[in-house]
Amino acid sequence: MYRLFHYWRSSSSWRVRFALDFKGIPYEPVAVSLLNGESESPEHLSRNPLGTVPVLEIPGTPASLLSESLAILHFLEEAHPDLPCLLPGTPLERARIRMLAELINSGIQPFHNPPVLAQHSADPVEQKSWAAGFIEKGLHAYESHCKKTHGLYSVGDAPSIADACLIPQLYSAERFEVDWRAFPVISGVETNLRALPAYQSSHAERFKPLDFKG
Amino acid sequence: MYRLFHYWRSSSSWRVRFALDFKGIPYEPVAVSLLNGESESPEHLSRNPLGTVPVLEIPGTPASLLSESLAILHFLEEAHPDLPCLLPGTPLERARIRMLAELINSGIQPFHNPPVLAQHSADPVEQKSWAAGFIEKGLHAYESHCKKTHGLYSVGDAPSIADACLIPQLYSAERFEVDWRAFPVISGVETNLRALPAYQSSHAERFKPLDFKG
């Protein structure tokens, strides 16, 4: 069985939880905190020398370790072509899906990762303002693209890896007080995503430690 | 014919120039400066609301515009399956290629993008130190992975999109005074990459404006 090293509030982790659940692939979640030094421990650095989550352990002899959420999402597509697909369509439609996924993956999320926020500034107010600026600009761009590509979901009428990235990005936006409901296309897509069983089962709040104070 | 909106020193642009040349796909390069406001002009924002390069214009009626370098690299693979490939191998080998590409794309490059540097600090010394920290840590992780995956190139004996990301990242590392030659596996791979005609033809210095002062 797959093991997923993840953190409940890591948006990159949630992308992979969503994809596993959407495809109906069982997995064992293993929590790695981004806040108490666990992700920078020798044990986790041996899984991923960058110290990030998620990391997917792929069963085998020996087992393989795969980091970077977009690489994991693509691996799940290619290793399980018989299961429900998150990269449908023509090469151009798939390109638009990847464009939206990367807009979040490289254009928004890197800037609100907790270690990056700490490196940018020790002031929580400045941290929040810095993160919110990237989220606001990124979601504006996502909305602009999505006006042309959306159906029920971000690209057409089927959920995709773009939506797998959008779901947790909106949750993070709330934490940094960015009002994503001001974007009408994104809001409509979010309503449809929220109705998916995989949205519910992969949700950050389901994996939040009971004693978490944040 | 494809048109590529790019900037000579943008590492994400160089990735796509390399892939186009490696595959032997002719294209028309169109320069968009990241320094003089051109990338934030209404004209460029209509191509890409995030204001980044590269943007690939795909001929058609109407033409399509595609941003995000990793989405473009994947599109070129899928649209031209008959041309030399930058994503070879099994699903697991392809996953390792994508992991390394994403390590650079979302783990290093976002932090040394000129607009991000300007938002982090107005002090050029602090900008350089911030960027160098991410590059150093990211290349350390790349080297650790690459010890297990490399042959002549980053993953096995064929060039891949991981190498397309590595080439310009090393060029950027030099600008921020990170000594990537301290990483022996990366250095060996770089020597082999440097010998490829596509390395030479896509090189940033070939697209540098003659009057550039930097």
Side-chain angles (χ1 to χ4, degrees):
Chain A
M1 199 199 289
Y2 290 114
R3 288 213 296 175
L4 182 68
F5 299 91
H6 77 131
Y7 182 58
W8 70 277
R9 202 162 64 174
S10 145
S11 60
S12 307
S13 296
W14 186 351
R15 297 170 192 166
V16 177
R17 291 196 306 262
F18 173 82
L20 287 163
D21 287 353
F22 183 81
K23 291 175 174 299
I25 301 174
Y27 69 99
E28 180 193 343
V30 182
V32 176
S33 173
L34 295 184
L35 298 185
N36 67 4
E38 206 177 348
S39 62
E40 295 288 334
S41 67
E43 193 178 1
H44 190 65
L45 291 175
S46 76
R47 295 176 199 127
N48 173 8
L50 204 60
T52 57
V53 286
V55 177
L56 186 71
E57 186 186 87
I58 303 167
T61 313
S64 298
L65 290 162
L66 187 61
S67 50
E68 297 298 331
S69 63
L70 265 290
I72 297 171
L73 294 175
H74 278 84
F75 172 77
L76 294 174
E77 290 304 310
E78 297 193 353
H80 302 282
D82 49 321
L83 296 179
C85 169
L86 287 170
L87 250 173
T90 65
L92 193 55
E93 286 160 344
R94 290 158 63 92
R96 289 179 177 136
I97 289 169
R98 291 185 174 111
M99 174 177 71
L100 290 173
E102 289 292 356
L103 194 164
I104 290 174
N105 181 55
S106 71
I108 305 179
Q109 190 278 333
F111 304 108
H112 64 71
N113 212 17
V116 172
L117 290 179
Q119 274 176 272
H120 168 60
S121 170
D123 173 9
V125 175
E126 169 57 25
Q127 286 184 0
K128 186 177 255 186
S129 154
W130 153 274
F134 287 104
I135 296 170
E136 178 85 31
K137 183 172 182 183
L139 290 182
H140 176 82
Y142 197 102
E143 175 84 1
S144 299
H145 284 303
C146 228
K147 278 180 187 156
K148 301 173 198 155
T149 62
H150 85 99
L152 291 172
Y153 302 101
S154 294
V155 179
D157 288 328
S160 70
I161 62 168
D163 299 301
C165 294
L166 180 64
I167 289 168
Q169 188 56 64
L170 298 181
Y171 181 77
S172 296
E174 289 179 10
R175 184 151 59 95
F176 293 103
E177 295 178 25
V178 174
D179 178 21
W180 58 265
R181 289 182 183 81
F183 299 111
V185 179
I186 287 175
S187 295
V189 166
E190 196 271 349
T191 301
N192 296 325
L193 288 169
R194 187 177 284 267
L196 298 172
Y199 174 100
Q200 303 293 336
S201 59
S202 64
H203 199 291
E205 297 287 335
R206 288 178 58 95
F207 293 87
K208 184 175 175 174
L210 292 175
D211 57 352
F212 183 82
K213 309 249 183 266
Chain B
M1 199 196 295
Y2 290 113
R3 288 212 297 173
L4 182 67
F5 298 92
H6 77 131
Y7 181 58
W8 71 277
R9 203 162 64 172
S10 144
S11 59
S12 308
S13 297
W14 187 349
R15 298 169 191 166
V16 176
R17 292 196 305 262
F18 173 81
L20 287 161
D21 287 354
F22 183 81
K23 291 175 174 299
I25 301 173
Y27 69 97
E28 179 194 343
V30 182
V32 177
S33 173
L34 295 183
L35 297 185
N36 67 5
E38 205 177 348
S39 61
E40 296 287 334
S41 67
E43 192 177 2
H44 189 65
L45 290 175
S46 75
R47 295 176 199 126
N48 173 8
L50 204 59
T52 57
V53 286
V55 177
L56 186 71
E57 186 185 89
I58 303 167
T61 313
S64 299
L65 291 162
L66 187 61
S67 50
E68 298 299 330
S69 64
L70 264 289
I72 297 172
L73 293 175
H74 277 86
F75 172 78
L76 294 174
E77 291 303 310
E78 296 192 353
H80 302 282
D82 50 320
L83 296 179
C85 169
L86 287 171
L87 251 172
T90 63
L92 193 54
E93 285 160 344
R94 289 157 62 92
R96 289 180 176 133
I97 290 168
R98 290 185 175 111
M99 173 177 71
L100 290 173
E102 289 293 355
L103 195 164
I104 290 174
N105 181 55
S106 71
I108 305 180
Q109 191 278 333
F111 305 107
H112 63 71
N113 212 16
V116 172
L117 290 179
Q119 274 175 273
H120 169 59
S121 170
D123 172 10
V125 175
E126 168 57 26
Q127 286 184 359
K128 185 177 259 188
S129 154
W130 153 275
F134 288 104
I135 296 169
E136 178 84 31
K137 182 173 182 183
L139 290 181
H140 176 81
Y142 197 101
E143 176 84 2
S144 299
H145 285 303
C146 228
K147 278 180 187 155
K148 302 173 198 156
T149 62
H150 84 100
L152 291 172
Y153 301 100
S154 294
V155 180
D157 287 329
S160 70
I161 61 169
D163 300 303
C165 293
L166 180 64
I167 290 168
Q169 188 56 64
L170 298 181
Y171 180 78
S172 296
E174 289 179 9
R175 186 151 59 95
F176 294 104
E177 297 178 24
V178 173
D179 178 21
W180 59 265
R181 288 182 183 80
F183 298 111
V185 178
I186 288 175
S187 294
V189 167
E190 196 270 351
T191 300
N192 296 325
L193 289 168
R194 188 177 284 267
L196 297 172
Y199 175 101
Q200 303 293 334
S201 60
S202 63
H203 200 291
E205 297 287 335
R206 288 179 59 95
F207 294 87
K208 185 175 176 173
L210 291 175
D211 58 352
F212 183 81
K213 310 250 183 266

